[in-house]
Amino acid sequence: MSRFGSAMGLSAIGMASKVLAIAKTMLIAALFGAGASLDAFWVAYTLPLLLPALLTNVVTVAFVPRFMASLEGFEGPEAWRGANTLFTTILLLSVFAAAAMMLWAPVLVGVLAPGLAPETQAEAVRLTRMLMPTIPLLTVSSLLSAISNARERFTLPALEGVLTNVAVIACALALVRPLGVGALIIGVVVGLVAQAIVLVSGNWSMLVRNVRPALDWRHPDFRAPAAHLMPLLIGSAGAILASLVSQFFLSHGESGAISLMAYAMMFAFLPVEVFAQAVITTFYPTFGRHFARGELVQAAEAFADGIRFVLFLTVPCAILLLVYAEPLMVLLLERGEFTASDSRAVATLAAILAVAMVFRAFAYFNHRILHAALKPWLQVGIGLACVATHIVLCALWISDHGAVGVAFAMLSATVLEAFLSVAAAGWVLRIRWHTRLVREIGRLALVALPMALVAVVGFEWIWPPEEQARVRISLVGMGLAAVSLVVGLAVARLVRQPDLQWLLGVLHLRRLANAERP
């Protein structure tokens, strides 16, 4: 399967996961709205997942190029001794971190969300401790996901969102009355256990042949990724710090501000997780191979293809969310404990973050080039500069603009990251001026402009509705959003946009294959 086919296959799984995530979010909104108890959940949910999220990114990025260069095709514990040392060391660190975070949970909650009311902080501490034992479990899943991605077997790691979201929905429905927001924590734990079982089962034969505990810290296959790990840890910690900074400032705002931002980020960054992450995951091993062989021209061509594909998938999503954020929130969230004012607040934040989403996807893809080229400190410098920008802007804007100021700070920092990272990627690839990529971005602009025009005209025609007609008019708005998307696709076909041409070709071949079947 081509890189584009793999990316679209992962996107399909990602879409299923995010459809379930939307259903989960709708259920959470109806049950809890955007109040203090849900703020406690989001704070608790963030803390135990910090280390596994960090490890997933760090191990995957550090391990994949090394695997592609030296371990591919080799079998047995001795061949894998360096990799086994890496895995064993990280697993031991995760056990130690879980114990330490369990003990110091009150301090962590107090530092990261100091503005919460005392009772909300106490609830956040209780929920955090419920999740702490999952840290080693998540670490195992992270390691297995890294191995699967390095072997270009992307399906099993992509199932994580599906399993977790199904578990959270089921537990929320069954346990919300006796446990309140604790039902959501139980659902997260059940989903993570299911994902670990799936990954172990899917990699069982490989694990039996190759993976053993080892602590050979002098092994070259450990030392090379370990040398790459330090800058990655710093850079990834900086990226995580950006979200914690937002939470820190939001905790000083009105009750529910953390929850409102969580809703907005879920919808705004959904295209990154569904589409862009799939493209990044499937292109990254290719970058690793090309850089290992010194094939800069081929790496530059793959980079251009990937950037074009990422933008083709994310720009239309950003346009539709920027324009139709409020009708979407009315339809999906505005029921039960979630009010019309909550819809308007989330829509405002989501519209700002929709623009940030495109630049985030762009920056994430650029960073993979830097990691494949073994230039991680360059990415670290870019990332930390952007985190510092985010902190400064949050401090400047939070008092006058509240959550909106935090969203604009996030957007500004993300735009800066995108421009710095693409300049760095071009330098690593020795690209002075990629004519074909510039031409393709211009072609994408021709697609985006008429689509945006139709979307804006349609929205101005129907909005705002009377209060009693909000749901009906929102449905009309979704229809107009679909019309604007069709306009964009029609223009893309007219200008022969390559990614749409590839997709139409795949669909045509499948129709022919189905027609030839008896």
Side-chain angles (χ1 to χ4, degrees), residues 4 33 49 100 111 144 168 184 231 256 270 309 312 333 345 417 423 451 456 458-459:
F4 297 103
L49 298 184
V111 169
L144 292 174
V168 171
L184 303 179
L270 187 148
F309 201 18
F312 174 70
L333 302 181
E417 184 178 16
M451 179 180 170
V456 170
F459 181 78

Side-chain angles (χ1 to χ4, degrees), residues 175-196:
L175 302 174
V176 66
R177 288 189 177 181
L179 297 180
V181 292
L184 303 179
I185 297 292
I186 298 298
V188 171
V189 173
V190 171
L192 295 176
V193 170
Q195 172 66 5

Side-chain angles (χ1 to χ4, degrees), residues 20-379:
L20 289 167
I22 291 171
K24 175 191 71 178
T25 304
M26 292 170 63
L27 180 62
I28 291 173
L31 293 175
F32 303 106
S37 64
L38 197 60
D39 282 353
F41 166 76
W42 288 120
V43 171
Y45 183 75
T46 300
L47 285 173
L49 298 184
L50 287 180
L51 182 64
L54 185 64
L55 290 174
T56 298
N57 180 55
V58 167
V59 174
T60 299
V61 173
F63 181 68
V64 168
R66 187 69 184 178
F67 185 97
M68 301 306 297
S70 64
L71 295 181
E72 190 175 24
F74 292 91
E75 295 282 342
E78 283 305 311
W80 280 59
R81 186 167 179 79
N84 285 334
T85 300
L86 178 68
F87 301 153
T88 304
T89 302
I90 289 174
L91 184 57
L92 290 175
L93 287 174
S94 74
V95 173
F96 174 78
M101 292 173 74
M102 176 80 77
L103 179 64
W104 295 100
V107 176
L108 290 171
V109 171
V111 169
L112 298 177
L116 294 179
E119 60 274 15
T120 306
Q121 280 204 4
E123 178 70 355
V125 169
R126 183 181 72 85
L127 297 176
T128 297
R129 284 176 165 158
M130 288 176 65
L131 273 176
M132 285 304 175
T134 65
I135 291 178
L137 181 68
L138 275 165
T139 302
V140 171
S141 295
S142 300
L143 296 175
L144 292 174
S145 295
I147 294 172
S148 297
N149 287 332
R151 300 167 74 206
E152 299 193 49
R153 298 180 179 181
F154 306 115
T155 301
L156 291 180
L159 290 174
E160 177 184 357
V162 174
L163 297 172
T164 302
N165 288 321
V166 168
V168 171
I169 291 170
C171 290
L173 290 172
L175 302 174
V176 66
R177 288 189 177 181
L179 297 180
V181 292
L184 303 179
I185 297 292
I186 298 298
V188 171
V189 173
V190 171
L192 295 176
V193 170
Q195 172 66 5
I197 292 172
V198 167
L199 284 168
V200 169
S201 301
N203 290 282
W204 183 252
S205 60
M206 182 275 300
L207 294 173
V208 170
R209 292 195 307 271
N210 302 303
V211 177
R212 302 288 188 278
L215 289 174
D216 187 357
W217 291 319
R218 295 185 178 183
H219 197 286
D221 284 343
F222 169 77
R223 295 175 67 182
H228 200 186
L229 280 176
M230 183 55 66
L232 281 171
L233 281 169
I234 296 172
S236 298
I240 291 172
L241 179 62
S243 64
L244 294 180
V245 165
S246 298
Q247 182 175 279
F248 175 90
F249 284 103
L250 289 168
S251 72
H252 292 278
E254 296 181 359
S255 176
I258 293 174
S259 297
L260 292 172
M261 183 63 78
Y263 286 125
M265 290 180 67
M266 184 269 174
F267 285 104
F269 294 141
L270 187 148
V272 174
E273 298 172 10
V274 172
F275 299 123
Q277 199 60 51
V279 177
I280 292 166
T281 300
T282 52
F283 272 70
Y284 185 50
T286 301
F287 294 151
R289 276 196 298 268
H290 287 318
F291 275 101
R293 298 168 185 167
E295 300 169 345
L296 290 185
V297 173
Q298 292 87 337
E301 290 301 309
F303 172 73
D305 287 340
I307 285 293
R308 185 198 67 229
F309 201 18
V310 165
L311 293 177
F312 174 70
L313 294 172
T314 56
V315 169
C317 297
I319 291 171
L320 295 181
L321 186 57
L322 180 64
V323 178
Y324 288 100
E326 189 171 350
L328 183 64
M329 300 311 152
V330 171
L331 288 177
L332 295 182
L333 302 181
E334 198 173 301
R335 60 182 56 83
E337 297 296 319
F338 200 90
T339 65
S341 62
D342 291 335
S343 292
R344 284 187 285 270
V346 172
T348 300
L349 298 173
I352 298 167
L353 296 178
V355 181
M357 175 269 296
V358 176
F359 289 98
R360 174 174 284 197
F362 189 53
Y364 282 2
F365 193 84
N366 297 334
H367 288 322
R368 285 299 188 264
I369 284 289
L370 303 182
H371 292 309
L374 302 180
K375 301 288 185 183
W377 285 111
L378 186 54
Q379 185 269 331

